Amino acid sequence: MVEGGESPTSPLMQHGKDYDLIVIGGGSGGLAAAKEAAKHGAKVACFDFVKPSERGTTWGLGGTCVNVGCIPKKLMHQAGILGESFSDANAFGWTVDEKQKHDWGKMVTGIQDHIGSLNFGYRTALREKKVDYKNEYCSFVDANTVKGVNKRGVEKQYTFDKCVIAVGGRPSYLDVPGARELCITSDDVFSLENPPGKTLCVGASYISLETAGFLTALGYDTSVVVRSVFLRGFDAEIAKQIVGHMERHGTRMIRDTTPQKFEKTEDGKIKVEFKNTMFGNKFKEEFDTVVLAVGRDAVTEGLNLPAAGVEFNPKNGKIPCVDEQTNVSHIYAIGDVLDTRQELTPVAIKAGVRLAHRIFGDDGKPKLKMNYDLVPTTVFTPLEYGCVGMSEELAKETYGEENIESFLSYFKPLEWTVNHAAHDNGNMHREDNACFAKVVVNKADSDRVVGLHYLGPNAGEVTQGYAVAMKMNMTKQDLDDTVGIHPTVSEQFTTMSITRSSGEDPQSKGC
Ligand code: FAD
């Protein structure tokens, strides 16, 4: 029978197993699924175990988002944009010393304290919902049994009627000498005790650019090295603008280049040997810190999926599913471990809640499936980028170039206009026309908006509402019929008239 906790009284436990549901992974998706199932009377256990990073970093309950993802990332981004606003504050009449130094240790302590309180909150929430939290590494024994191994190596077996795999992913390492020994990843950067110093971010991913963005804004000499395309999959025109803005604001971009080797120098630095992929020339440079952000792998390797008969993609370890159901009908998967689905926290949460409700829901409410279409997202580079739907390239590929029109508008937020000093000094701090709005429509379908893109402050806040409208089949006419809120950045979307095909200049000339 079930170890620890109260004796199980679940009305659903007629199958003789220890649990109605075992959830493997206590991250965004797993916690959401476990709590929702318990709410409907299921007897649930949630396993969460963090294997330390190569560097030895470890963390508490809550998964990637809370500990080493969205939360610390957004808070460090906030630290960066706060620093950037000192110069604005002076223009608005405050007296702020723009040269004051940032205290890395104080920021990390503040952020880690907040994360600690979230870890505690998750444990409490599981207890309150009567979910058994098992801080044990979990793997399959057979299609109805798992084994859990705790920190001390003690092993126990548990049987289940249903199982949700929500093990997420971990950063990949480059397969070059010294990478594992000398480099860190997003698993480590948010809890670094000492300031990173001169830093190299490796990769063209959003995680690489976000990290480089906040490190530059905090005053660190930061470079990004990329082999090919920045922000693959996002709108290419906007990716280019993001990178241009970052370069003008101090991040160095090393293009068409890959690191070949990492070596420790006598004075404790990391010597990186680079190779230019276009011309083949090699060069070396020393850094204090190298952050690898070259992708993430699903962590299914240790799960012993074959013991349960669960199929997975051998290329990336991810699990193919139909409506979150694996090829084994009582075993499901959600979140980052799913093949070909967005790796985002709200996606994992919504899929987890809906799945658990579909299986255990007893409240008479409709059993809804997860819809992975039109998922909005934001890249938290210094100039933030929010988007919903397709990039212009994908829209053309999908609907035919002749059917796609894009409405374009460059602009400068009102809040930036008072800070003339920054601009006059040749400092590109608050550039004209740095911000950008793009609406991609399908002319063959009543000008249906198939992609909405925004580059500027508060991108997540701006984009969220338009995602609702796009879910409701918004057309360009709907945007034109909407009255804007003045003065905001979001009102841009209600007044856009310049099209790509017109050839007119979408840069704003005045207020
Ligand atoms: P996870 O949250 O990764 O949770 C999986 C849990 O399972 C982990 O705790 C893991 O240790 C545990 N586990 C794994 N294997 C086992 C096992 N065998 N036994 C027991 N436990 C196990 N998303 C956004 O929406 N917005 C953002 O701004 C954003 N920023 C990000 C920034 C960074 C740097 C990173 C890395 C990610 C970011 N994400 C963001 C993505 C987001 O964090 C993930 O999509 C989300 O956490 C996925 O949730 P999950 O439940 O699938 O997995």
Side-chain angles (χ1 to χ4, degrees):
M1 270 318 272
V2 180
E3 261 239 3
E6 291 139 44
S7 74
T9 52
S10 158
L12 299 169
M13 283 183 66
Q14 286 153 12
H15 39 63
K17 310 283 191 310
D18 294 337
Y19 288 100
D20 294 316
L21 175 69
I22 275 182
V23 178
I24 311 178
S28 310
L31 288 177
K35 288 188 281 185
E36 178 70 14
K39 190 171 111 186
H40 298 288
K43 179 69 189 167
V44 184
C46 180
F47 287 74
D48 192 64
F49 191 90
V50 180
K51 287 197 169 172
S53 72
E54 296 284 335
R55 175 83 173 223
T57 313
T58 186
W59 50 88
L61 180 62
T64 303
C65 169
V66 173
N67 296 287
V68 288
C70 333
I71 300 294
K73 177 275 294 290
K74 179 95 188 273
L75 292 174
M76 290 200 177
H77 167 69
Q78 173 66 10
I81 55 176
L82 270 176
E84 289 186 323
S85 62
F86 290 158
S87 141
D88 293 342
N90 283 326
F92 279 103
W94 295 99
T95 304
V96 178
D97 175 8
E98 290 177 37
K99 299 266 179 301
Q100 57 193 314
K101 265 194 80 65
H102 175 259
D103 184 337
W104 173 270
K106 189 170 179 182
M107 174 186 72
V108 168
T109 304
I111 291 174
Q112 291 301 323
D113 285 353
H114 175 61
I115 291 173
S117 73
L118 294 175
N119 299 144
F120 179 76
Y122 288 125
R123 281 201 306 276
T124 312
L126 288 185
R127 208 170 35 243
E128 281 170 4
K129 292 264 183 334
K130 300 208 175 353
V131 173
D132 285 349
Y133 163 47
K134 307 275 183 196
N135 186 202
E136 297 168 23
Y137 188 80
C138 189
S139 57
F140 287 99
V141 174
D142 60 39
N144 283 98
T145 313
V146 292
K147 84 173 177 205
V149 182
N150 72 11
K151 268 186 223 132
R152 292 181 303 280
V154 180
E155 191 180 308
K156 282 183 206 151
Q157 294 202 359
Y158 309 86
T159 55
F160 61 85
D161 186 46
K162 297 197 163 43
C163 177
V164 172
I165 303 168
V167 292
R170 292 292 285 267
S172 332
Y173 279 81
L174 282 180
D175 190 15
V176 302
R180 283 189 182 268
E181 299 78 16
L182 300 175
C183 301
I184 62 167
T185 67
S186 56
D187 279 357
D188 314 292
V189 73
F190 305 113
S191 55
L192 276 186
E193 274 174 29
N194 297 316
K198 181 180 170 187
T199 302
L200 175 70
C201 295
V202 183
S205 64
Y206 81 91
I207 293 176
S208 178
L209 293 187
E210 288 177 343
T211 306
F214 69 70
L215 290 180
T216 304
L218 296 177
Y220 299 102
D221 176 349
T222 309
S223 306
V224 178
V225 59
V226 293
R227 194 180 43 191
S228 54
V229 183
F230 286 99
L231 293 176
R232 194 182 291 281
F234 287 95
D235 190 276
E237 183 176 29
I238 300 206
K240 203 169 152 201
Q241 290 174 32
I242 291 174
V243 172
H245 179 268
M246 287 181 70
E247 280 186 302
R248 292 191 297 280
H249 288 247
T251 309
R252 173 176 157 228
M253 301 291 173
I254 310 172
R255 294 177 167 80
D256 303 317
T257 300
T258 54
Q260 302 281 293
K261 201 199 289 181
F262 301 96
E263 283 173 307
K264 189 124 186 163
T265 64
E266 274 173 18
D267 55 354
K269 296 196 185 294
I270 304 167
K271 189 191 281 177
V272 185
E273 184 180 299
F274 295 101
K275 183 176 179 190
N276 183 293
T277 51
M278 302 260 281
F279 306 108
N281 58 307
K282 291 187 176 175
F283 56 101
K284 291 183 181 171
E285 190 171 332
E286 290 179 9
F287 296 87
D288 297 303
T289 303
V290 178
V291 184
L292 298 181
V294 290
R296 294 177 63 80
D297 297 320
V299 287
T300 45
E301 213 176 59
L303 272 182
N304 198 14
L305 290 173
V310 174
E311 286 168 4
F312 59 98
N313 181 344
K315 282 198 197 128
N316 58 14
K318 291 196 167 208
I319 302 178
C321 282
V322 178
D323 296 328
E324 295 84 42
Q325 191 170 37
T326 71
N327 64 303
V328 178
S329 62
H330 64 286
I331 301 181
Y332 304 82
I334 54 171
D336 284 9
V337 77
L338 277 185
D339 208 10
T340 69
R341 295 299 188 200
Q342 301 93 337
E343 293 180 11
L344 292 168
T345 275
V347 170
I349 294 175
K350 201 173 275 293
V353 170
R354 290 199 164 186
L355 172 65
H357 183 260
R358 284 205 304 280
I359 303 174
F360 297 106
D362 56 358
D363 52 7
K365 290 191 181 151
K367 308 254 174 168
L368 300 173
K369 289 183 180 172
M370 174 66 190
N371 182 340
Y372 294 90
D373 292 337
L374 294 174
V375 170
T377 188
T378 291
V379 177
F380 291 98
T381 36
L383 199 54
E384 298 171 5
Y385 167 36
C387 59
V388 200
M390 296 182 185
S391 65
E392 191 173 338
E393 302 78 61
L394 182 62
K396 285 178 177 166
E397 213 179 291
T398 309
Y399 299 111
E401 195 159 349
E402 66 287 2
N403 292 321
I404 292 300
E405 181 62 280
S406 291
F407 291 80
L408 314 169
S409 171
Y410 286 91
F411 62 97
K412 177 174 186 167
L414 175 69
E415 291 80 355
W416 290 14
T417 53
V418 176
N419 192 0
H420 295 298
H423 203 248
D424 296 346
N425 292 342
N427 172 348
M428 296 306 286
H429 184 56
R430 297 304 189 195
E431 307 158 67
D432 290 337
N433 288 306
C435 301
F436 184 57
K438 181 197 277 202
V439 171
V440 183
V441 306
N442 181 1
K443 290 186 287 182
D445 182 18
S446 318
D447 282 350
R448 186 93 44 225
V449 178
V450 294
L452 185 137
H453 306 266
Y454 165 87
L455 186 61
N458 305 311
E461 318 298 339
V462 169
T463 316
Q464 183 72 76
Y466 291 110
V468 178
M470 284 177 66
K471 278 276 188 195
M472 300 174 77
N473 281 321
M474 175 174 81
T475 62
K476 177 66 170 64
Q477 189 61 49
D478 294 324
L479 282 172
D480 296 343
D481 288 344
T482 302
V483 175
I485 302 172
H486 189 67
T488 64
V489 283
S490 193
E491 67 179 316
Q492 286 295 324
F493 287 106
T494 64
T495 57
M496 292 173 73
S497 60
I498 298 182
T499 57
R500 168 105 46 219
S501 62
S502 74
E504 275 180 67
D505 181 4
Q507 307 234 3
S508 84
K509 313 276 175 329
C511 175

